[in-house]
């Protein structure tokens, strides 16, 4: 996950700069910053530039043709469609789970918290296979769905389910610490002033967790767009039907259409960069809030 | 204004018994302090009155009507939280207006009416010109006043405050509690506040409820609870006290090295008892004048303003006693560290444990 790597380097180097002012050895500073920059440029910056160089290698005409070709467009549409369904669902789930975990005491709370994080520790390919086993016509639940005329595996519902699984933790994980740190007295104040549950949520709880929530949503979207492993197992890669952007890139690459592959990859990179910018902005906002509350 | 009755209320948190069988009557317009150490159940009781907590047993009545099952938001109580719980993302104006804005449309005042109400409250809490500030731009005392104004905006019949001055420095605290007293008198509400600070309770309350370990130790006006504490706990909690453990017989409390007359306890014979004496009710004498004084050695003296506190070690019981004298008396005695003198209780209240 490159975004978090970059920010952690940022804060470290600023700390070091402060250290240098205090008189700590300046040579080591420069060396460490140099290593970090070199590492980043080799592993992040150069590859990113390479994508665009490759994409435009055969001229803008080929690039444009690659991204406007009908299979490519349908891959973009499918990816956006899946993201548009997955992100709201996982946002609702994340809010509900975070709320339940932080506001109520119940048996098995710790188990729920661990379960929410499970998708992070399961390999996406395994996740995909689980759903194949469950929903394929020879699987456990598959026959029932097939009888009712609903194909899940090698079709869009399967892609959606696999993506939901993989991106499940993002929103909940961001919100749980935010809600935990705040406690519930503002909510109690709202209720004692006559607010009903809905008003309390919209006017008090939501504005307070706004930045954490947006941050979770952005991470969730980025992963939904980019998910490869789980989706590649369940999708069947039918061009124009069940091909998402990452899958499409792989197909083009395997067919030696390098420029086209990199052209679609460049679209995804642009989405990633936009995400990164938004994420940095959120972090900056959250930090400002935190500073404000300290004073 | 309304009266509050608490009837046999109990509350448990897991294995912890926070309140046991509480009975309490608060009549309208009273300013009542719930006073006790932390863990005594005072905040739980306040939250039960507000409806933020449900009693496991018992009932809460407002004006004789059982409201145990009425939700907080319908109870019309103003609640001021310990750390104010201001809405951080709203301005002072929006905070105060909140209770009016969440009303159902037909009960909601127009926005000009809301503005008028908020402006009035802002001038009441002396925060004119602060309407557009955010809570983080205010001092602790100002936040406290915003929290109060916010609670008052919905015209509560009962105002409940949880450690209202706990987080403020001593000077602001004193000002604010005087101001709370005036506010209470002008607004004519029934007010209950929780505090662990005895001075605060004695200073502003009409009635003090002293709590300990989930039970009420004593209820009464400030003078009464201070002058006639109902138990050694209350004695100790309201100011300092010297405890003398001895046996009660023939109207005397028999201690090691002294026998003190305790009229009113003639009936008891040879039972264990505790005598409570406040530091200012003890005299120091150079000679033994009768059987009611005991020998002690001066350990050290410290003066706080006009008062001098002398710590002595009783010769026969290895107990320490604290005596309070005024500066004049202290200078007349001319006490030296390590000197042996006689300590005589001028007044003493005796409690028989278990009675």
């Amino acid at each position: 996950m490159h975004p978090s790597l970059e920010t952690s380097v940022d804060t470290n180097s600023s700390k070091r700069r402060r250290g240098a002012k205090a008189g700590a050895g300046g040579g080591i500073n420069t060396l460490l910053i140099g290593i970090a920059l070199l590492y980043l440029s080799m592993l992040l910056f150069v590859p990113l530039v390479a994508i665009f160089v490759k994409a435009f290698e055969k001229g803008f005409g080929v690039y444009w043709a690659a991204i406007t070709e009908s299979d490519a467009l349908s891959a973009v549409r499918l990816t956006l469609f899946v993201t548009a369904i997955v992100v709201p669902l996982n946002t609702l789930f994340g809010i509900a789970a975070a709320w339940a975990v932080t506001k109520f005491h119940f048996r098995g709370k710790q188990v729920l918290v661990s379960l929410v994080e499970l998708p992070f520790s399961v390999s996406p390919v395994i996740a995909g296979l689980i759903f194949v086993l469950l929903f394929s016509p020879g699987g456990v639940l598959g026959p029932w769905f097939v009888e009712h005329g609903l194909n899940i595996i090698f079709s869009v519902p399967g892609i959606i389910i696999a993506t939901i699984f993989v991106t499940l933790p993002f929103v909940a994980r961001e919100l749980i610490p935010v809600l935990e740190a705040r406690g519930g007295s503002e909510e109690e104040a709202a209720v004692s002033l006559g607010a009903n549950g809905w008003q309390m949520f919209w006017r008090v709880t939501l504005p307070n967790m706004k930045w954490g929530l947006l941050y979770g949503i952005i991470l969730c979207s980025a992963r939904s767009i980019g998910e490869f492993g789980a989706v590649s197992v369940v999708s069947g890669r039918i061009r124009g039907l069940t091909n998402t952007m990452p899958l499409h890139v792989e197909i083009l690459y395997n067919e030696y259409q390098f420029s086209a592959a990199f052209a679609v990859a460049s679209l995804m990179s642009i989405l990633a960069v936009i995400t990164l910018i938004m994420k940095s902005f959120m972090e900056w906002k959250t930090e400002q809030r935190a500073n404000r509350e300290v004073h | 204004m309304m009266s509050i009755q608490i009837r046999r209320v109990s509350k448990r948190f897991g294995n912890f018994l926070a309140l046991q069988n509480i009975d309490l009557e608060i009549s309208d317009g009273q300013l009542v302090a719930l006073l006790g150490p932390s863990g005594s159940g005072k905040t739980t009781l306040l939250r039960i009155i507000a409806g933020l907590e449900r009693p496991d047993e018992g009932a809460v009545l407002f004006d004789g009507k059982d409201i145990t099952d009425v939700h907080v938001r319908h109870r019309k109580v103003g609640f001021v939280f310990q750390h104010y719980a201001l809405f951080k993302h709203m301005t002072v104006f929006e905070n105060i207006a909140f209770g009016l804005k969440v009303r159902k449309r037909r009960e909601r005042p127009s926005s000009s009416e809301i503005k008028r109400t908020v402006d009035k409250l802002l001038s009441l809490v002396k925060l004119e010109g602060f309407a557009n500030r955010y809570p983080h731009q205010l001092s602790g005392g100002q936040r406290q006043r915003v929290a109060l104004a916010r609670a008052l905006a919905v015209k509560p019949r009962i105002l409940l405050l949880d450690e209202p001055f706990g987080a403020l420095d001593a000077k602001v605290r004193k000002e604010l509690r005087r101001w709370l007293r005036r506010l209470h008198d002008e607004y004519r509400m029934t007010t209950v506040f929780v505090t662990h600070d005895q001075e605060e309770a004695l200073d502003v309350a009409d009635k003090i409820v002293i709590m300990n370990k989930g039970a009420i130790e004593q209820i009464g006006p400030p003078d009464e609870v201070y002058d006639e504490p109902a138990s050694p706990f209350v004695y100790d909690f309201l100011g300092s006290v010297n405890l003398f453990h001895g046996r009660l017989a023939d109207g005397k409390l028999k201690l090691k090295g002294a026998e003190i007359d305790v009229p009113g306890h003639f009936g008891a014979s040879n039972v264990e008892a505790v005598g409570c004496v406040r530091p200012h009710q003890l005299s120091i004498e150079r000679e033994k004048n009768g059987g009611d004084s005991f020998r002690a050695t001066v350990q050290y003296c410290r003066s706080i303003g006009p008062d001098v506190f002398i710590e002595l070690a009783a010769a026969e019981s290895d107990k320490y006693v604290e005596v309070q004298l005024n500066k004049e008396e202290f200078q007349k005695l001319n006490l030296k560290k390590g000197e042996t003198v006689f300590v005589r209780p001028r007044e003493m209240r005796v409690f028989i444990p278990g009675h």
Side-chain angles (χ1 to χ4, degrees):
Chain A
M1 294 187 75
H2 49 273
S4 61
L5 184 64
E6 191 149 82
T7 47
S8 74
V9 168
D10 254 346
T11 49
N12 281 348
S13 62
S14 68
K15 261 180 220 149
R16 284 197 194 102
R17 241 172 274 132
R18 254 174 272 141
K21 262 182 218 154
I28 294 180
N29 260 338
T30 329
L31 182 70
L32 286 174
I33 294 171
I35 291 175
L37 284 178
L38 190 73
Y39 188 81
L40 275 180
S41 46
M42 291 307 288
L43 288 168
L44 287 176
F45 189 66
V46 170
L48 197 64
V49 172
I51 291 174
F52 285 91
V53 170
K54 265 286 187 194
F56 287 101
E57 203 178 36
K58 290 184 179 157
F60 186 75
V62 176
Y63 180 87
W64 187 249
I67 60 173
T68 51
E69 180 248 344
S70 79
D71 285 350
L73 280 181
S74 77
V76 172
R77 263 199 302 272
L78 181 61
T79 295
L80 294 180
F81 176 71
V82 169
T83 305
I85 290 177
V86 166
V87 172
L89 285 177
N90 273 343
T91 302
L92 280 180
F93 167 79
I95 293 173
W99 187 274
V101 164
T102 52
K103 305 281 167 178
F104 302 105
H105 297 278
F106 53 89
R107 209 177 287 231
K109 194 160 125 168
Q110 273 315 309
V111 178
L112 180 65
V113 174
S114 315
L115 272 182
V116 164
E117 305 239 330
L118 184 71
F120 275 168
S121 48
V122 173
S123 157
V125 176
I126 308 291
L129 281 175
I130 294 168
F131 291 115
V132 170
L133 285 176
L134 276 179
F135 295 118
S136 70
V140 184
L141 302 170
W144 187 87
F145 282 104
V146 173
E147 253 170 56
H148 291 78
L150 195 65
N151 275 316
I152 290 181
I153 297 306
F154 304 142
S155 146
V156 177
I159 297 173
I160 291 173
I161 291 171
T163 312
I164 286 179
F165 180 86
V166 172
T167 60
L168 187 89
F170 287 102
V171 175
R173 248 173 70 104
E174 286 305 319
L175 289 186
I176 289 171
V178 174
L179 289 181
E180 241 162 23
R182 267 180 11 86
S185 62
E186 281 184 48
E187 275 80 9
E188 285 185 339
V191 175
S192 78
L193 290 165
N196 60 34
W198 204 235
Q199 289 169 320
M200 176 191 80
F201 180 76
W202 282 106
R203 291 171 189 238
V204 177
T205 310
L206 196 63
N208 270 310
M209 62 185 196
K210 189 169 57 185
W211 295 111
L213 182 64
L214 280 175
Y215 187 40
I217 289 175
I218 284 175
L219 289 179
C220 184
S221 313
R223 187 64 192 268
S224 307
I225 293 168
E227 177 51 27
F228 179 82
V231 169
S232 89
V233 177
V234 297
S235 103
R237 309 180 192 204
I238 308 161
R239 282 198 199 198
L241 284 178
T242 64
N243 223 11
T244 61
M245 281 169 86
L247 298 182
H248 190 62
V249 172
E250 203 213 8
I251 289 177
L252 291 172
Y253 188 83
N254 287 344
E255 290 173 352
Y256 303 102
Q257 302 185 41
F258 296 131
S259 288
F262 279 104
V264 179
S266 75
L267 279 186
M268 294 186 64
S269 308
I270 290 168
L271 286 176
V273 170
I274 293 173
T275 312
L276 178 63
I277 292 170
M278 282 165 76
K279 179 181 168 288
S280 308
F281 175 73
M282 300 288 155
E283 269 171 356
W284 174 74
K285 260 311 215 205
T286 326
E287 205 168 291
Q288 277 208 319
R289 259 187 80 83
N291 284 342
R292 245 174 39 184
E293 272 158 34
V294 169
H295 294 143
Chain B
M1 266 209 292
M2 64 189 343
S3 66
I4 305 168
Q5 287 92 39
I6 312 289
R7 289 209 185 135
R8 289 189 299 283
V9 159
S10 296
K11 176 78 186 174
R12 250 170 207 294
F13 294 110
N15 288 326
F16 177 67
L17 188 57
L19 289 175
Q20 39 183 326
N21 241 335
I22 298 287
D23 271 302
L24 178 62
E25 195 96 9
I26 296 168
S27 37
D28 11 336
Q30 268 188 329
L31 176 52
V32 174
L34 302 179
L35 176 65
S38 54
S40 60
K42 54 194 194 303
T43 296
T44 306
L45 182 56
L46 192 78
R47 289 172 61 86
I48 284 176
I49 297 173
L52 292 168
E53 216 79 69
R54 251 195 78 87
D56 296 333
E57 282 160 46
V60 180
L61 290 79
F62 286 177
D63 270 351
K65 227 175 81 191
D66 188 336
I67 50 97
T68 317
D69 296 321
V70 175
H71 192 265
V72 212
R73 86 184 176 95
H74 301 298
R75 285 199 189 183
K76 299 215 160 155
V77 296
F79 198 99
V80 177
F81 290 82
Q82 187 175 6
H83 299 290
Y84 324 130
L86 295 179
F87 306 127
K88 293 188 202 72
H89 60 290
M90 296 184 198
T91 61
V92 167
F93 183 95
E94 289 164 336
N95 262 283
I96 299 174
F98 185 89
L100 301 170
K101 283 187 179 165
V102 295
R103 285 191 187 165
K104 281 194 211 102
R105 184 157 300 149
R106 61 197 146 76
E107 294 162 25
R108 196 188 308 151
S110 68
S111 58
S112 61
E113 268 173 86
I114 291 179
K115 186 167 174 352
R116 221 174 313 127
T117 311
V118 173
D119 285 344
K120 226 174 76 192
L121 284 162
L122 279 172
S123 78
L124 179 80
V125 298
K126 301 190 192 71
L127 285 173
E128 300 105 326
F130 285 81
N132 294 319
R133 300 272 189 105
Y134 282 90
H136 66 93
Q137 298 168 312
L138 303 176
S139 71
Q142 290 168 334
R143 284 179 206 178
Q144 175 63 277
R145 271 137 59 197
V146 175
L148 253 163
R150 181 177 71 175
L152 293 174
V154 293
K155 296 215 167 70
R157 297 165 299 176
I158 294 172
L159 182 63
L160 305 170
L161 307 100
D162 185 8
E163 296 275 3
F165 315 115
L168 303 170
D169 57 70
K171 202 170 171 301
V172 181
R173 217 155 149 154
K174 213 159 200 165
E175 264 172 47
L176 267 179
R177 71 186 188 224
R178 288 288 151 75
W179 179 76
L180 173 70
R181 177 75 236 191
R182 279 202 305 276
L183 192 80
H184 167 85
D185 294 337
E186 277 167 34
Y187 260 62
R188 308 192 53 76
M189 302 169 289
T190 305
T191 305
V192 183
F193 74 101
V194 156
T195 181
H196 62 267
D197 181 345
Q198 36 138 332
E199 194 190 321
E200 207 162 278
L202 293 168
D203 192 16
V204 290
D206 297 321
K207 184 156 119 176
I208 297 180
V209 178
I210 295 161
M211 299 187 64
N212 183 31
K213 292 180 185 154
I216 292 175
E217 292 267 343
Q218 189 173 4
I219 305 173
D223 299 348
E224 192 184 301
V225 292
Y226 189 79
D227 295 333
E228 294 159 45
S231 67
F233 172 82
V234 179
Y235 239 118
D236 191 33
F237 199 71
L238 292 177
S240 34
V241 69
N242 294 294
L243 300 179
F244 296 96
H245 296 269
R247 299 195 80 80
L248 197 59
D250 317 321
K252 281 178 196 294
L253 182 68
K254 297 185 175 171
L255 308 170
K256 282 181 188 157
E259 284 186 9
I260 291 132
D261 286 329
V262 280
H265 284 283
F266 275 105
S269 73
N270 206 25
V271 287
E272 276 184 44
V274 188
C276 296
V277 186
R278 295 219 184 268
H280 69 85
Q281 294 170 328
L282 288 166
S283 300
I284 294 180
E285 288 158 358
R286 293 240 169 238
E287 260 124 66
K288 188 162 173 84
N289 307 316
D292 59 350
S293 64
F294 56 89
R295 210 145 52 98
T297 334
V298 178
Q299 295 291 311
Y300 85 139
C301 313
R302 69 198 151 92
S303 55
I304 299 173
D307 301 315
V308 183
F309 293 88
I310 301 128
E311 197 177 293
L312 306 104
E316 262 122 312
S317 65
D318 70 295
K319 283 260 170 70
Y320 287 88
V321 219
E322 192 181 48
V323 178
Q324 181 187 355
L325 300 177
N326 63 39
K327 221 153 216 167
E328 229 170 88
E329 292 168 323
F330 178 68
Q331 275 157 359
K332 219 182 279 171
L333 271 167
N334 191 24
L335 289 176
K336 302 240 160 38
K337 212 171 144 181
E339 211 176 342
T340 301
V341 290
F342 292 91
V343 176
R344 190 169 61 84
R346 296 191 307 274
E347 276 173 61
M348 178 184 273
R349 277 173 69 88
V350 176
F351 297 96
I352 303 165
H355 277 241

